[in-house]
Amino acid sequence: TQVGVAEDEQFLYGKWEDFSKKELPQLDACGGHFGYTPESPTEKVYHYHVQEHAPFTIGCFGPNKDNTLVTVEQCREFYPGCDGKLENVTTPKGTKLYDRWCPCFDAVGSNTGVDIKELPVFSTISTTTVVGGTDAATTIGEAPTTIAATTRGQPDTTTRGSRTTRGMGGSTRVTPTRGSGESTRATRPSDGTTRGM
């Protein structure tokens, strides 16, 4: 289900790739991928999905200028805040190193840039996560054959409830779609620059 439109004019969908099969999408560091959508049932387009883990919505605006998915390393290059200045953050689950202004998270949920574990979408063989099943279904990864997407790789702001996490700052805007409930927000840098590969 479409829940919003990011400032880069690409759609944001709920967490499921295929709800009937309980399949979660394999996403790049921006929180997007190429695939079919209700608005584009015959042509693969780049779009974003809500996620259960950080960055929760949009980590950056993808895809890269060459229409490839954005790696964690590339995402980190978009943000001066991904500077490796780490601090310990303590939660009820324990203490963890954290880069306060970096929205680029790897496969194990780390945004430190130390020993980056690349996201599953970048493996030759990718897995589709099936929730509620006994095993994840394995599929051969494929490159998009037709791409109809705008190309950007820019910092963002993500809002969940009353908390806002900023990449580099700037204006914040997302257009929620009908029936989406709480709006999700993304932003461009306030200096008007364009970031990307």
Side-chain angles (χ1 to χ4, degrees), residues 95-132:
T95 300
K96 185 176 179 179
L97 277 176
Y98 185 75
D99 193 338
R100 183 180 289 207
W101 302 111
C102 186
C104 308
F105 291 84
D106 69 10
V108 295
S110 173
N111 76 337
T112 64
V114 177
D115 193 26
I116 294 173
K117 304 295 184 213
E118 198 51 76
L119 300 168
V121 72
F122 294 104
S123 64
T124 305
I125 301 211
S126 63
T127 58
T128 301
T129 305
V130 179
V131 177

PDB file of all heavy atoms in Angstrom, residues 95-132:
ATOM      1  N   THR A  95      24.368  -1.476  25.466  1.00  0.00           N
ATOM      2  CA  THR A  95      25.115  -0.331  24.960  1.00  0.00           C
ATOM      3  C   THR A  95      25.663  -0.659  23.578  1.00  0.00           C
ATOM      4  O   THR A  95      26.148  -1.758  23.334  1.00  0.00           O
ATOM      5  CB  THR A  95      26.263   0.024  25.921  1.00  0.00           C
ATOM      6  OG1 THR A  95      25.687   0.337  27.200  1.00  0.00           O
ATOM      7  CG2 THR A  95      27.062   1.218  25.436  1.00  0.00           C
ATOM      8  N   LYS A  96      25.576   0.333  22.677  1.00  0.00           N
ATOM      9  CA  LYS A  96      25.979   0.132  21.290  1.00  0.00           C
ATOM     10  C   LYS A  96      26.656   1.391  20.776  1.00  0.00           C
ATOM     11  O   LYS A  96      26.267   2.497  21.119  1.00  0.00           O
ATOM     12  CB  LYS A  96      24.714  -0.165  20.468  1.00  0.00           C
ATOM     13  CG  LYS A  96      24.933  -0.507  19.041  1.00  0.00           C
ATOM     14  CD  LYS A  96      23.594  -0.874  18.405  1.00  0.00           C
ATOM     15  CE  LYS A  96      23.763  -1.208  16.946  1.00  0.00           C
ATOM     16  NZ  LYS A  96      22.521  -1.585  16.318  1.00  0.00           N
ATOM     17  N   LEU A  97      27.690   1.222  19.931  1.00  0.00           N
ATOM     18  CA  LEU A  97      28.302   2.370  19.275  1.00  0.00           C
ATOM     19  C   LEU A  97      27.345   2.919  18.229  1.00  0.00           C
ATOM     20  O   LEU A  97      26.658   2.160  17.538  1.00  0.00           O
ATOM     21  CB  LEU A  97      29.611   1.973  18.593  1.00  0.00           C
ATOM     22  CG  LEU A  97      30.839   1.920  19.478  1.00  0.00           C
ATOM     23  CD1 LEU A  97      32.043   1.409  18.688  1.00  0.00           C
ATOM     24  CD2 LEU A  97      31.152   3.287  20.066  1.00  0.00           C
ATOM     25  N   TYR A  98      27.311   4.252  18.098  1.00  0.00           N
ATOM     26  CA  TYR A  98      26.340   4.904  17.220  1.00  0.00           C
ATOM     27  C   TYR A  98      26.959   6.173  16.656  1.00  0.00           C
ATOM     28  O   TYR A  98      27.644   6.912  17.353  1.00  0.00           O
ATOM     29  CB  TYR A  98      25.091   5.231  18.043  1.00  0.00           C
ATOM     30  CG  TYR A  98      23.948   5.806  17.257  1.00  0.00           C
ATOM     31  CD1 TYR A  98      23.168   5.004  16.442  1.00  0.00           C
ATOM     32  CD2 TYR A  98      23.638   7.155  17.344  1.00  0.00           C
ATOM     33  CE1 TYR A  98      22.095   5.530  15.731  1.00  0.00           C
ATOM     34  CE2 TYR A  98      22.568   7.695  16.642  1.00  0.00           C
ATOM     35  CZ  TYR A  98      21.809   6.876  15.842  1.00  0.00           C
ATOM     36  OH  TYR A  98      20.762   7.395  15.147  1.00  0.00           O
ATOM     37  N   ASP A  99      26.719   6.433  15.373  1.00  0.00           N
ATOM     38  CA  ASP A  99      27.145   7.671  14.713  1.00  0.00           C
ATOM     39  C   ASP A  99      25.903   8.553  14.650  1.00  0.00           C
ATOM     40  O   ASP A  99      25.010   8.339  13.828  1.00  0.00           O
ATOM     41  CB  ASP A  99      27.678   7.375  13.310  1.00  0.00           C
ATOM     42  CG  ASP A  99      28.409   8.540  12.689  1.00  0.00           C
ATOM     43  OD1 ASP A  99      28.180   9.690  13.100  1.00  0.00           O
ATOM     44  OD2 ASP A  99      29.210   8.300  11.769  1.00  0.00           O
ATOM     45  N   ARG A 100      25.824   9.546  15.526  1.00  0.00           N
ATOM     46  CA  ARG A 100      24.601  10.305  15.772  1.00  0.00           C
ATOM     47  C   ARG A 100      23.931  10.874  14.522  1.00  0.00           C
ATOM     48  O   ARG A 100      22.715  10.898  14.430  1.00  0.00           O
ATOM     49  CB  ARG A 100      24.890  11.439  16.747  1.00  0.00           C
ATOM     50  CG  ARG A 100      23.654  12.231  17.099  1.00  0.00           C
ATOM     51  CD  ARG A 100      23.955  13.329  18.046  1.00  0.00           C
ATOM     52  NE  ARG A 100      24.254  12.741  19.337  1.00  0.00           N
ATOM     53  CZ  ARG A 100      24.076  13.358  20.477  1.00  0.00           C
ATOM     54  NH1 ARG A 100      23.635  14.581  20.497  1.00  0.00           N
ATOM     55  NH2 ARG A 100      24.359  12.773  21.610  1.00  0.00           N
ATOM     56  N   TRP A 101      24.670  11.358  13.557  1.00  0.00           N
ATOM     57  CA  TRP A 101      24.063  12.054  12.418  1.00  0.00           C
ATOM     58  C   TRP A 101      24.142  11.253  11.121  1.00  0.00           C
ATOM     59  O   TRP A 101      24.069  11.811  10.043  1.00  0.00           O
ATOM     60  CB  TRP A 101      24.704  13.432  12.239  1.00  0.00           C
ATOM     61  CG  TRP A 101      24.544  14.242  13.476  1.00  0.00           C
ATOM     62  CD1 TRP A 101      25.526  14.615  14.346  1.00  0.00           C
ATOM     63  CD2 TRP A 101      23.321  14.743  14.020  1.00  0.00           C
ATOM     64  NE1 TRP A 101      25.003  15.320  15.392  1.00  0.00           N
ATOM     65  CE2 TRP A 101      23.643  15.423  15.216  1.00  0.00           C
ATOM     66  CE3 TRP A 101      21.994  14.690  13.625  1.00  0.00           C
ATOM     67  CZ2 TRP A 101      22.682  16.027  16.005  1.00  0.00           C
ATOM     68  CZ3 TRP A 101      21.035  15.304  14.417  1.00  0.00           C
ATOM     69  CH2 TRP A 101      21.384  15.961  15.585  1.00  0.00           C
ATOM     70  N   CYS A 102      24.260   9.941  11.214  1.00  0.00           N
ATOM     71  CA  CYS A 102      24.396   9.115  10.020  1.00  0.00           C
ATOM     72  C   CYS A 102      23.191   8.174   9.869  1.00  0.00           C
ATOM     73  O   CYS A 102      22.988   7.287  10.691  1.00  0.00           O
ATOM     74  CB  CYS A 102      25.678   8.301  10.077  1.00  0.00           C
ATOM     75  SG  CYS A 102      25.989   7.390   8.556  1.00  0.00           S
ATOM     76  N   PRO A 103      22.387   8.338   8.800  1.00  0.00           N
ATOM     77  CA  PRO A 103      21.214   7.492   8.598  1.00  0.00           C
ATOM     78  C   PRO A 103      21.482   6.252   7.745  1.00  0.00           C
ATOM     79  O   PRO A 103      20.553   5.663   7.204  1.00  0.00           O
ATOM     80  CB  PRO A 103      20.249   8.435   7.869  1.00  0.00           C
ATOM     81  CG  PRO A 103      21.162   9.248   7.017  1.00  0.00           C
ATOM     82  CD  PRO A 103      22.406   9.462   7.852  1.00  0.00           C
ATOM     83  N   CYS A 104      22.750   5.859   7.607  1.00  0.00           N
ATOM     84  CA  CYS A 104      23.130   4.757   6.722  1.00  0.00           C
ATOM     85  C   CYS A 104      23.435   3.516   7.555  1.00  0.00           C
ATOM     86  O   CYS A 104      24.499   3.424   8.176  1.00  0.00           O
ATOM     87  CB  CYS A 104      24.340   5.163   5.882  1.00  0.00           C
ATOM     88  SG  CYS A 104      24.110   6.737   5.032  1.00  0.00           S
ATOM     89  N   PHE A 105      22.527   2.554   7.552  1.00  0.00           N
ATOM     90  CA  PHE A 105      22.648   1.368   8.395  1.00  0.00           C
ATOM     91  C   PHE A 105      22.956   0.137   7.560  1.00  0.00           C
ATOM     92  O   PHE A 105      22.406  -0.046   6.487  1.00  0.00           O
ATOM     93  CB  PHE A 105      21.351   1.152   9.181  1.00  0.00           C
ATOM     94  CG  PHE A 105      21.121   2.208  10.216  1.00  0.00           C
ATOM     95  CD1 PHE A 105      20.526   3.417   9.876  1.00  0.00           C
ATOM     96  CD2 PHE A 105      21.525   2.007  11.522  1.00  0.00           C
ATOM     97  CE1 PHE A 105      20.322   4.406  10.818  1.00  0.00           C
ATOM     98  CE2 PHE A 105      21.324   2.989  12.480  1.00  0.00           C
ATOM     99  CZ  PHE A 105      20.722   4.199  12.126  1.00  0.00           C
ATOM    100  N   ASP A 106      23.839  -0.719   8.106  1.00  0.00           N
ATOM    101  CA  ASP A 106      24.220  -1.929   7.378  1.00  0.00           C
ATOM    102  C   ASP A 106      23.301  -3.089   7.745  1.00  0.00           C
ATOM    103  O   ASP A 106      22.298  -2.912   8.437  1.00  0.00           O
ATOM    104  CB  ASP A 106      25.702  -2.252   7.600  1.00  0.00           C
ATOM    105  CG  ASP A 106      26.041  -2.707   9.013  1.00  0.00           C
ATOM    106  OD1 ASP A 106      25.131  -2.979   9.829  1.00  0.00           O
ATOM    107  OD2 ASP A 106      27.245  -2.792   9.313  1.00  0.00           O
ATOM    108  N   ALA A 107      23.653  -4.286   7.276  1.00  0.00           N
ATOM    109  CA  ALA A 107      22.805  -5.469   7.427  1.00  0.00           C
ATOM    110  C   ALA A 107      22.610  -5.905   8.880  1.00  0.00           C
ATOM    111  O   ALA A 107      21.656  -6.611   9.184  1.00  0.00           O
ATOM    112  CB  ALA A 107      23.361  -6.627   6.609  1.00  0.00           C
ATOM    113  N   VAL A 108      23.504  -5.489   9.778  1.00  0.00           N
ATOM    114  CA  VAL A 108      23.352  -5.850  11.184  1.00  0.00           C
ATOM    115  C   VAL A 108      22.858  -4.671  12.022  1.00  0.00           C
ATOM    116  O   VAL A 108      22.905  -4.707  13.243  1.00  0.00           O
ATOM    117  CB  VAL A 108      24.653  -6.448  11.778  1.00  0.00           C
ATOM    118  CG1 VAL A 108      24.996  -7.767  11.100  1.00  0.00           C
ATOM    119  CG2 VAL A 108      25.808  -5.469  11.682  1.00  0.00           C
ATOM    120  N   GLY A 109      22.406  -3.601  11.355  1.00  0.00           N
ATOM    121  CA  GLY A 109      21.824  -2.462  12.061  1.00  0.00           C
ATOM    122  C   GLY A 109      22.826  -1.479  12.616  1.00  0.00           C
ATOM    123  O   GLY A 109      22.497  -0.671  13.475  1.00  0.00           O
ATOM    124  N   SER A 110      24.047  -1.499  12.110  1.00  0.00           N
ATOM    125  CA  SER A 110      25.080  -0.574  12.571  1.00  0.00           C
ATOM    126  C   SER A 110      25.206   0.588  11.586  1.00  0.00           C
ATOM    127  O   SER A 110      25.182   0.397  10.376  1.00  0.00           O
ATOM    128  CB  SER A 110      26.421  -1.298  12.683  1.00  0.00           C
ATOM    129  OG  SER A 110      27.460  -0.378  12.970  1.00  0.00           O
ATOM    130  N   ASN A 111      25.388   1.796  12.121  1.00  0.00           N
ATOM    131  CA  ASN A 111      25.618   2.966  11.275  1.00  0.00           C
ATOM    132  C   ASN A 111      26.998   3.574  11.528  1.00  0.00           C
ATOM    133  O   ASN A 111      27.246   4.712  11.178  1.00  0.00           O
ATOM    134  CB  ASN A 111      24.522   4.019  11.494  1.00  0.00           C
ATOM    135  CG  ASN A 111      24.693   4.794  12.782  1.00  0.00           C
ATOM    136  OD1 ASN A 111      25.327   4.330  13.725  1.00  0.00           O
ATOM    137  ND2 ASN A 111      24.108   5.973  12.838  1.00  0.00           N
ATOM    138  N   THR A 112      27.902   2.798  12.106  1.00  0.00           N
ATOM    139  CA  THR A 112      29.216   3.320  12.501  1.00  0.00           C
ATOM    140  C   THR A 112      30.210   3.410  11.350  1.00  0.00           C
ATOM    141  O   THR A 112      31.174   4.151  11.440  1.00  0.00           O
ATOM    142  CB  THR A 112      29.842   2.437  13.597  1.00  0.00           C
ATOM    143  OG1 THR A 112      30.084   1.123  13.041  1.00  0.00           O
ATOM    144  CG2 THR A 112      28.952   2.331  14.820  1.00  0.00           C
ATOM    145  N   GLY A 113      30.006   2.642  10.295  1.00  0.00           N
ATOM    146  CA  GLY A 113      30.970   2.609   9.199  1.00  0.00           C
ATOM    147  C   GLY A 113      32.148   1.697   9.496  1.00  0.00           C
ATOM    148  O   GLY A 113      33.073   1.572   8.700  1.00  0.00           O
ATOM    149  N   VAL A 114      32.141   1.027  10.643  1.00  0.00           N
ATOM    150  CA  VAL A 114      33.209   0.113  11.044  1.00  0.00           C
ATOM    151  C   VAL A 114      32.769  -1.305  10.689  1.00  0.00           C
ATOM    152  O   VAL A 114      31.688  -1.739  11.082  1.00  0.00           O
ATOM    153  CB  VAL A 114      33.489   0.215  12.559  1.00  0.00           C
ATOM    154  CG1 VAL A 114      34.541  -0.791  12.984  1.00  0.00           C
ATOM    155  CG2 VAL A 114      33.886   1.631  12.935  1.00  0.00           C
ATOM    156  N   ASP A 115      33.591  -2.010   9.925  1.00  0.00           N
ATOM    157  CA  ASP A 115      33.297  -3.398   9.545  1.00  0.00           C
ATOM    158  C   ASP A 115      31.876  -3.522   8.978  1.00  0.00           C
ATOM    159  O   ASP A 115      31.053  -4.291   9.468  1.00  0.00           O
ATOM    160  CB  ASP A 115      33.495  -4.332  10.743  1.00  0.00           C
ATOM    161  CG  ASP A 115      33.510  -5.792  10.343  1.00  0.00           C
ATOM    162  OD1 ASP A 115      33.849  -6.100   9.181  1.00  0.00           O
ATOM    163  OD2 ASP A 115      33.146  -6.634  11.194  1.00  0.00           O
ATOM    164  N   ILE A 116      31.609  -2.756   7.921  1.00  0.00           N
ATOM    165  CA  ILE A 116      30.272  -2.694   7.322  1.00  0.00           C
ATOM    166  C   ILE A 116      29.859  -4.069   6.786  1.00  0.00           C
ATOM    167  O   ILE A 116      30.591  -4.704   6.045  1.00  0.00           O
ATOM    168  CB  ILE A 116      30.233  -1.654   6.183  1.00  0.00           C
ATOM    169  CG1 ILE A 116      30.431  -0.255   6.762  1.00  0.00           C
ATOM    170  CG2 ILE A 116      28.936  -1.745   5.395  1.00  0.00           C
ATOM    171  CD1 ILE A 116      30.585   0.832   5.722  1.00  0.00           C
ATOM    172  N   LYS A 117      28.693  -4.501   7.188  1.00  0.00           N
ATOM    173  CA  LYS A 117      28.092  -5.744   6.682  1.00  0.00           C
ATOM    174  C   LYS A 117      27.092  -5.328   5.608  1.00  0.00           C
ATOM    175  O   LYS A 117      26.044  -4.763   5.903  1.00  0.00           O
ATOM    176  CB  LYS A 117      27.373  -6.513   7.795  1.00  0.00           C
ATOM    177  CG  LYS A 117      28.240  -6.847   8.977  1.00  0.00           C
ATOM    178  CD  LYS A 117      29.344  -7.802   8.608  1.00  0.00           C
ATOM    179  CE  LYS A 117      30.137  -8.178   9.846  1.00  0.00           C
ATOM    180  NZ  LYS A 117      31.533  -8.411   9.592  1.00  0.00           N
ATOM    181  N   GLU A 118      27.437  -5.591   4.352  1.00  0.00           N
ATOM    182  CA  GLU A 118      26.622  -5.112   3.235  1.00  0.00           C
ATOM    183  C   GLU A 118      25.220  -5.705   3.278  1.00  0.00           C
ATOM    184  O   GLU A 118      25.005  -6.788   3.798  1.00  0.00           O
ATOM    185  CB  GLU A 118      27.301  -5.418   1.897  1.00  0.00           C
ATOM    186  CG  GLU A 118      26.753  -4.597   0.747  1.00  0.00           C
ATOM    187  CD  GLU A 118      26.699  -3.092   1.019  1.00  0.00           C
ATOM    188  OE1 GLU A 118      27.741  -2.445   0.974  1.00  0.00           O
ATOM    189  OE2 GLU A 118      25.593  -2.576   1.266  1.00  0.00           O
ATOM    190  N   LEU A 119      24.302  -4.985   2.723  1.00  0.00           N
ATOM    191  CA  LEU A 119      22.894  -5.367   2.717  1.00  0.00           C
ATOM    192  C   LEU A 119      22.660  -6.567   1.798  1.00  0.00           C
ATOM    193  O   LEU A 119      23.326  -6.713   0.768  1.00  0.00           O
ATOM    194  CB  LEU A 119      22.054  -4.175   2.262  1.00  0.00           C
ATOM    195  CG  LEU A 119      22.206  -2.947   3.165  1.00  0.00           C
ATOM    196  CD1 LEU A 119      21.592  -1.720   2.510  1.00  0.00           C
ATOM    197  CD2 LEU A 119      21.580  -3.203   4.520  1.00  0.00           C
ATOM    198  N   PRO A 120      21.708  -7.438   2.140  1.00  0.00           N
ATOM    199  CA  PRO A 120      21.468  -8.652   1.359  1.00  0.00           C
ATOM    200  C   PRO A 120      21.154  -8.407  -0.112  1.00  0.00           C
ATOM    201  O   PRO A 120      21.470  -9.236  -0.952  1.00  0.00           O
ATOM    202  CB  PRO A 120      20.269  -9.301   2.061  1.00  0.00           C
ATOM    203  CG  PRO A 120      20.305  -8.778   3.442  1.00  0.00           C
ATOM    204  CD  PRO A 120      20.874  -7.393   3.341  1.00  0.00           C
ATOM    205  N   VAL A 121      20.563  -7.277  -0.456  1.00  0.00           N
ATOM    206  CA  VAL A 121      20.206  -6.995  -1.849  1.00  0.00           C
ATOM    207  C   VAL A 121      21.440  -6.968  -2.754  1.00  0.00           C
ATOM    208  O   VAL A 121      21.325  -7.173  -3.955  1.00  0.00           O
ATOM    209  CB  VAL A 121      19.416  -5.672  -1.949  1.00  0.00           C
ATOM    210  CG1 VAL A 121      20.302  -4.467  -1.710  1.00  0.00           C
ATOM    211  CG2 VAL A 121      18.699  -5.567  -3.282  1.00  0.00           C
ATOM    212  N   PHE A 122      22.636  -6.784  -2.197  1.00  0.00           N
ATOM    213  CA  PHE A 122      23.843  -6.703  -3.001  1.00  0.00           C
ATOM    214  C   PHE A 122      24.561  -8.037  -3.166  1.00  0.00           C
ATOM    215  O   PHE A 122      25.599  -8.102  -3.813  1.00  0.00           O
ATOM    216  CB  PHE A 122      24.805  -5.660  -2.423  1.00  0.00           C
ATOM    217  CG  PHE A 122      24.237  -4.283  -2.525  1.00  0.00           C
ATOM    218  CD1 PHE A 122      23.723  -3.653  -1.417  1.00  0.00           C
ATOM    219  CD2 PHE A 122      24.175  -3.632  -3.745  1.00  0.00           C
ATOM    220  CE1 PHE A 122      23.164  -2.386  -1.513  1.00  0.00           C
ATOM    221  CE2 PHE A 122      23.619  -2.372  -3.857  1.00  0.00           C
ATOM    222  CZ  PHE A 122      23.117  -1.753  -2.739  1.00  0.00           C
ATOM    223  N   SER A 123      24.014  -9.101  -2.607  1.00  0.00           N
ATOM    224  CA  SER A 123      24.622 -10.413  -2.822  1.00  0.00           C
ATOM    225  C   SER A 123      24.157 -10.951  -4.170  1.00  0.00           C
ATOM    226  O   SER A 123      23.119 -10.578  -4.688  1.00  0.00           O
ATOM    227  CB  SER A 123      24.243 -11.375  -1.695  1.00  0.00           C
ATOM    228  OG  SER A 123      22.862 -11.604  -1.695  1.00  0.00           O
ATOM    229  N   THR A 124      24.946 -11.849  -4.771  1.00  0.00           N
ATOM    230  CA  THR A 124      24.592 -12.441  -6.059  1.00  0.00           C
ATOM    231  C   THR A 124      23.295 -13.215  -5.935  1.00  0.00           C
ATOM    232  O   THR A 124      22.439 -13.184  -6.795  1.00  0.00           O
ATOM    233  CB  THR A 124      25.710 -13.373  -6.553  1.00  0.00           C
ATOM    234  OG1 THR A 124      26.912 -12.627  -6.582  1.00  0.00           O
ATOM    235  CG2 THR A 124      25.402 -13.914  -7.927  1.00  0.00           C
ATOM    236  N   ILE A 125      23.172 -13.932  -4.833  1.00  0.00           N
ATOM    237  CA  ILE A 125      21.931 -14.634  -4.553  1.00  0.00           C
ATOM    238  C   ILE A 125      21.302 -13.909  -3.384  1.00  0.00           C
ATOM    239  O   ILE A 125      21.895 -13.765  -2.337  1.00  0.00           O
ATOM    240  CB  ILE A 125      22.193 -16.105  -4.195  1.00  0.00           C
ATOM    241  CG1 ILE A 125      22.898 -16.780  -5.326  1.00  0.00           C
ATOM    242  CG2 ILE A 125      20.929 -16.769  -3.742  1.00  0.00           C
ATOM    243  CD1 ILE A 125      22.629 -18.218  -5.527  1.00  0.00           C
ATOM    244  N   SER A 126      20.091 -13.409  -3.588  1.00  0.00           N
ATOM    245  CA  SER A 126      19.422 -12.684  -2.515  1.00  0.00           C
ATOM    246  C   SER A 126      18.314 -13.547  -1.939  1.00  0.00           C
ATOM    247  O   SER A 126      17.827 -14.460  -2.581  1.00  0.00           O
ATOM    248  CB  SER A 126      18.858 -11.372  -3.045  1.00  0.00           C
ATOM    249  OG  SER A 126      17.875 -11.619  -4.020  1.00  0.00           O
ATOM    250  N   THR A 127      17.938 -13.242  -0.720  1.00  0.00           N
ATOM    251  CA  THR A 127      16.850 -13.979  -0.101  1.00  0.00           C
ATOM    252  C   THR A 127      15.664 -13.052   0.062  1.00  0.00           C
ATOM    253  O   THR A 127      15.818 -11.866   0.319  1.00  0.00           O
ATOM    254  CB  THR A 127      17.251 -14.536   1.281  1.00  0.00           C
ATOM    255  OG1 THR A 127      17.634 -13.437   2.092  1.00  0.00           O
ATOM    256  CG2 THR A 127      18.364 -15.539   1.168  1.00  0.00           C
ATOM    257  N   THR A 128      14.492 -13.599  -0.102  1.00  0.00           N
ATOM    258  CA  THR A 128      13.271 -12.879   0.168  1.00  0.00           C
ATOM    259  C   THR A 128      12.811 -13.327   1.540  1.00  0.00           C
ATOM    260  O   THR A 128      12.635 -14.522   1.770  1.00  0.00           O
ATOM    261  CB  THR A 128      12.190 -13.207  -0.881  1.00  0.00           C
ATOM    262  OG1 THR A 128      12.697 -12.861  -2.165  1.00  0.00           O
ATOM    263  CG2 THR A 128      10.905 -12.445  -0.596  1.00  0.00           C
ATOM    264  N   THR A 129      12.666 -12.408   2.448  1.00  0.00           N
ATOM    265  CA  THR A 129      12.275 -12.759   3.795  1.00  0.00           C
ATOM    266  C   THR A 129      10.792 -13.052   3.826  1.00  0.00           C
ATOM    267  O   THR A 129       9.979 -12.221   3.445  1.00  0.00           O
ATOM    268  CB  THR A 129      12.606 -11.621   4.770  1.00  0.00           C
ATOM    269  OG1 THR A 129      13.992 -11.319   4.639  1.00  0.00           O
ATOM    270  CG2 THR A 129      12.285 -12.000   6.196  1.00  0.00           C
ATOM    271  N   VAL A 130      10.454 -14.252   4.283  1.00  0.00           N
ATOM    272  CA  VAL A 130       9.062 -14.637   4.423  1.00  0.00           C
ATOM    273  C   VAL A 130       8.764 -14.664   5.909  1.00  0.00           C
ATOM    274  O   VAL A 130       9.367 -15.419   6.653  1.00  0.00           O
ATOM    275  CB  VAL A 130       8.792 -16.027   3.793  1.00  0.00           C
ATOM    276  CG1 VAL A 130       7.340 -16.423   3.976  1.00  0.00           C
ATOM    277  CG2 VAL A 130       9.181 -16.024   2.327  1.00  0.00           C
ATOM    278  N   VAL A 131       7.849 -13.813   6.348  1.00  0.00           N
ATOM    279  CA  VAL A 131       7.521 -13.711   7.753  1.00  0.00           C
ATOM    280  C   VAL A 131       6.485 -14.765   8.105  1.00  0.00           C
ATOM    281  O   VAL A 131       5.499 -14.923   7.401  1.00  0.00           O
ATOM    282  CB  VAL A 131       6.987 -12.299   8.077  1.00  0.00           C
ATOM    283  CG1 VAL A 131       6.578 -12.205   9.535  1.00  0.00           C
ATOM    284  CG2 VAL A 131       8.032 -11.261   7.729  1.00  0.00           C
ATOM    285  N   GLY A 132       6.732 -15.489   9.187  1.00  0.00           N
ATOM    286  CA  GLY A 132       5.774 -16.492   9.638  1.00  0.00           C
ATOM    287  C   GLY A 132       6.040 -17.861   9.067  1.00  0.00           C
ATOM    288  O   GLY A 132       5.415 -18.820   9.461  1.00  0.00           O
TER     289      GLY A 132
END
